[in-house]
Amino acid sequence: MRSRCASYVSPVLYEYPKLNGECFQQFLDWLSVQLGSDYAILQIDQAPAHTSSKIRWPENIIPLFQPPSAPELNPIERLWQFRKKPLKNQLFSSLHALCDRIQELFDQLTFEQVISVSSYNFILETLFYAASH
């Protein structure tokens, strides 16, 4: 059965067309299977899709909700900041040209860069602490 939410992009990447409870649940279920017997702490904001009472949290995924209006705690904000630097003071002839440049910038990202830019010591310390107990 084909998912109405996720579309396969690469061996480790799925793309979701929207953020709603159904798509988020599919992501959680997929992540749970990938984790197997391991556990994960998933840091998320308080978007309605994340906080819906309909969400069934798998036993091996522990939600860590960010406080409201705290973008500085959201790792993706650091990644966006990193990716926007090369676009500063640039003019584009069209929206299509801008989108192409953005796609090019994201295609150049390495896994190590994403980890480096989006990691926070307190998250890593929490994970190491949880793993040691």
Side-chain angles (χ1 to χ4, degrees):
M1 183 171 98
R2 187 175 170 98
S3 169
R4 293 185 300 166
C5 287
S7 58
Y8 178 77
V9 177
S10 75
V12 293
L13 178 66
Y14 286 87
E15 188 173 77
Y16 294 85
K18 55 190 161 193
L19 177 58
N20 64 18
E22 179 184 359
C23 292
F24 187 57
Q25 186 67 60
Q26 285 185 15
F27 166 74
L28 290 174
D29 295 343
W30 172 85
L31 179 58
S32 178
V33 169
Q34 301 308 305
L35 291 169
S37 61
D38 290 334
Y39 285 81
I41 298 172
L42 184 61
Q43 181 184 357
I44 51 179
D45 60 21
Q46 294 194 35
H50 298 152
T51 58
S52 169
S53 62
K54 294 180 182 179
I55 296 296
R56 294 176 323 281
W57 286 93
E59 288 186 20
N60 59 345
I61 299 176
I62 302 162
L64 175 61
F65 291 99
Q66 296 172 184
S69 303
E72 67 278 1
L73 297 178
N74 191 340
I76 195 65
E77 296 298 334
R78 292 175 79 179
L79 183 62
W80 290 128
Q81 194 173 44
F82 176 72
R83 285 292 73 189
K84 288 191 298 188
K85 283 182 183 178
L87 299 172
K88 189 174 184 176
N89 297 322
Q90 298 290 310
L91 295 175
F92 296 92
S93 59
S94 66
L95 182 58
H96 184 71
L98 171 62
C99 289
D100 286 346
R101 180 64 178 131
I102 291 170
Q103 184 64 55
E104 182 182 305
L105 290 170
F106 274 92
D107 288 345
Q108 293 171 0
L109 273 176
T110 65
F111 182 75
E112 290 76 17
Q113 285 175 312
V114 172
I115 295 299
S116 172
V117 171
S118 63
S119 293
Y120 287 94
N121 287 340
F122 77 89
I123 295 172
L124 297 175
E125 288 168 7
T126 301
L127 293 173
F128 290 135
Y129 178 80
S132 69
H133 287 79

